[in-house]
Structure formats: structure tokens, C-alpha cells
Amino acid sequence: MTIAGGGPAGLACGIRMLEQGWAVTVHERGRYPLKKVCGGFLSPRAWQRLRDLGADKHLSHPPRPLRRARFYAGDKSYAEFDLAPQAWSLRRSALDSALAGRFRELGGRLEEASEWRPGPDNGRVVDARGRDAGAKDGPWMAWKAYLAGAAAPPELGTVDLIMLPLDGAYAGLDWMDDGSICVSLIARRGRSLPKLLNGHPILAAVAPSLRAECAISGFSLATRSGGLRLGDRRRVWPPLVGDGIHRALASGEALAKDLTGQASGRSSWDASSLQFGLALGLHYGMLSAWPRRAGLACLSAWPSLATNLYRWTRF
């Protein structure tokens, strides 16, 4: 079996197929450690899946627990809530490398710097190349950077993660497994990055110390049907929800069960479609001032709402 794409979805699929005795080759156009804009936040189920796949023993640092978050509705107004059950943080480069190590440990063939191309003799190929493998005309762009722990804003002294509103965008800052801070943002395509980095006082204060990691432009938050597609090639989850890694791993494992003839145990009704709709609503709400203000008012009246939304979009 050939898998195009060595990210979480493709490697999870390959690992499960190797465990069933299949010969698997994964083509990854980059070299590990990979630089990707998505990833870093692990929902509880994502971390459990990584452990079940056996990738955790290939990590140089254990993931860092994330227990409390703060969402800003403006420059100063915010609401805090518990991440219950707690989430985890892990650098995307470490996550991909750990999965690659487990894949190779099981005897898989992993071709780095190898761009898979369709051909008449390819046979069945799983497409797990990610959100940037298709057309470049989507409405969104994303950017990621890292900040040394010593330069952390004081707001991260009492919470583990903060979300900041920007002009047609939002940004997240959270502690990573190695003690650094991941700074990532998603914006409508065409926004000025320097303007975005100065769009909130907290972000502007740390902007001079940021070390840029990677960027992507022209992707869409969409669902694609048909074919053997995995992860972001099938559905791109809004980053605000932070469950993309779990969804990628789950899709890889589910397809591996189908391809190897195992009973998947999945029902005909897909609950993730409802969760995806809720996630999109939260994503678009974060982009405009009045939904943020309304959300803050709701959280003031119902403090447990944010924690419940965190659960509803994941479980």
C-alpha cells in the first residue's frame, strides 16, 4: 500500500496497516522534523491515540498539560475557563517525528523528500497530503512562530493558553512541551501580517521576539468526499477548536481498519458533522467584535459554558 503524505493521518493509517502485516510505503515531500502551521494543541483523545499508536516512546519531551484558558473579546475584556478534562501541548515537529519513528520501528518504508505523483501503475493510493495539496484559492491564511519561554507575556503566568481577537483574524499563544510558546494565527487571506501582529497589545508586545516557523495561504475550511482521503484532505477543522490532530489520527486509523478488512464498529450517523458545524460557528464568531462581546456576556452569566463548548466539540 502507498500513502501520499507523512503527517499524522497518513502515518496513523500506515502504523495500523503495518500491525496487520501489510507492506506500506509513505511518501513525504518534506524532511523530518516537518514545519506545519497546524498542530501543537492536543485534545485528551489525541494524546490517548498517540499513546495507543505507540508514538509516545519516540518523544524527547512529554507533552505539557494545559488546564486553563483565557479568551479575549477585546484589548482588555476576557473570560477564563477550565479545560476539563485537561488538554496537552506538543510541538508539531515532535509529533510528526514521533509517529515517523514508530512507523519505521514497525518496518514501514518512509521516503522523505519524495513527492508522490499519480500514474497509471500506482494502484490504490491513500491521499493524506494535507490542506495545501489542492487549489490555492481558499479564503484563509495561517502563520506560526515560536517565542522563548523567558519572553512569555505575563498573562501566560496564570493560564496555559490565551486566544486574541484581531482584524478578521485571531491568534493563540500556548506553552509547548519544551518550555517555548507557540504563537499561531489564522486570518482572512490578504491581511497584512505586520498589522495583524500589532492588532492586540499582548501580541504586539512579544512580536519583536517571535521566531517565524512557517506560513500557508489560500486554504479553505471545507469537506471533500470521495476517494481514499485522510485528515485535512477530507475535512479541515477550524483551528479555534483545537481538535484537528485527533481527527487526523482517527481518520487514519478508521481507514486502515477498512482497508485491512477489520470491523470498524462505526455507525452510519457521523456525529462529527454536527461538531464540525458548531466548530465553524465558533470560528466565524471569533472574527467579529459583536459576537465576541455577546459571547463574553454569555460567559459572564453562565461561567461553565466555555468548558461545555470545549467538551461538545470533542466528545
Side-chain angles (χ1 to χ4, degrees):
M1 174 58 69
T2 298
I3 300 175
L11 289 172
C13 182
I15 288 170
R16 291 307 190 200
M17 295 186 73
L18 288 168
E19 291 175 341
Q20 294 299 313
W22 285 57
V24 184
T25 297
V26 169
H27 292 270
E28 169 51 51
R29 62 184 175 185
R31 291 189 179 277
Y32 297 90
L34 303 178
K35 294 184 178 181
K36 300 288 184 178
V37 294
C38 54
F41 181 98
L42 297 182
S43 67
R45 289 194 298 177
W47 173 231
Q48 185 59 54
R49 283 190 180 275
L50 279 176
R51 295 174 64 188
D52 292 343
L53 287 162
D56 57 313
K57 61 185 178 182
H58 294 275
L59 292 171
S60 57
H61 299 277
R64 179 170 180 147
L66 303 175
R67 299 184 176 92
R68 192 161 178 82
R70 178 185 292 181
F71 274 47
Y72 281 80
D75 287 356
K76 296 181 179 180
S77 58
Y78 64 83
E80 290 188 9
F81 64 96
D82 291 329
L83 299 173
Q86 74 178 31
W88 304 85
S89 66
L90 181 67
R91 288 162 298 140
R92 175 61 189 271
S93 58
L95 183 149
D96 287 335
S97 295
L99 286 167
R102 175 58 174 163
F103 179 80
R104 284 175 164 142
E105 180 183 46
L106 292 172
R109 181 181 176 186
L110 182 52
E111 299 286 346
E112 298 183 55
S114 176
E115 181 77 39
W116 175 84
R117 300 187 184 282
D121 301 322
N122 288 147
R124 299 181 76 188
V125 177
V126 173
D127 188 351
R129 291 175 293 170
R131 72 179 77 188
D132 58 340
K136 302 293 185 180
D137 57 355
W140 302 103
M141 68 177 192
W143 182 83
K144 175 187 277 187
Y146 284 97
L147 179 68
E155 291 79 7
L156 280 175
T158 56
V159 296
D160 304 304
L161 178 153
I162 57 178
M163 297 295 298
L164 306 175
L166 306 171
D167 178 23
Y170 55 86
L173 290 78
D174 55 331
W175 289 100
M176 287 289 105
D177 56 295
D178 65 346
S180 65
I181 296 165
C182 178
V183 180
S184 56
L185 64 84
I186 182 171
R188 295 189 185 278
R189 189 178 180 187
R191 291 292 195 272
S192 164
L193 181 59
K195 185 177 180 179
L196 289 172
L197 293 177
N198 283 281
H200 193 279
I202 295 176
L203 190 57
V206 301
S209 302
L210 293 178
R211 174 176 56 84
E213 175 83 352
C214 53
I216 184 174
S217 181
F219 67 92
S220 63
L221 303 176
T223 297
R224 305 173 182 88
S225 60
L228 300 178
R229 298 179 180 180
L230 289 178
D232 283 343
R233 288 296 281 165
R234 180 168 293 279
R235 176 178 288 169
V236 179
W237 283 77
L240 178 65
V241 177
D243 203 31
I245 295 298
H246 166 253
R247 302 293 178 175
L249 296 172
S251 69
E253 292 190 81
L255 182 59
K257 285 185 177 181
D258 291 342
L259 293 174
T260 57
Q262 302 175 75
S264 67
R266 288 176 290 165
S267 65
S268 57
W269 182 71
D270 184 6
S272 69
S273 296
L274 181 60
Q275 292 173 316
F276 183 72
L278 177 57
L280 275 180
L282 294 173
H283 164 79
Y284 283 106
M286 190 68 180
L287 298 174
S288 302
W290 74 263
R292 292 195 300 265
R293 289 195 295 266
L296 186 63
C298 290
L299 293 176
S300 299
W302 187 11
S304 62
L305 176 60
T307 299
N308 286 330
L309 286 172
Y310 163 74
R311 293 171 179 165
W312 294 338
T313 52
R314 292 166 178 81
F315 302 102

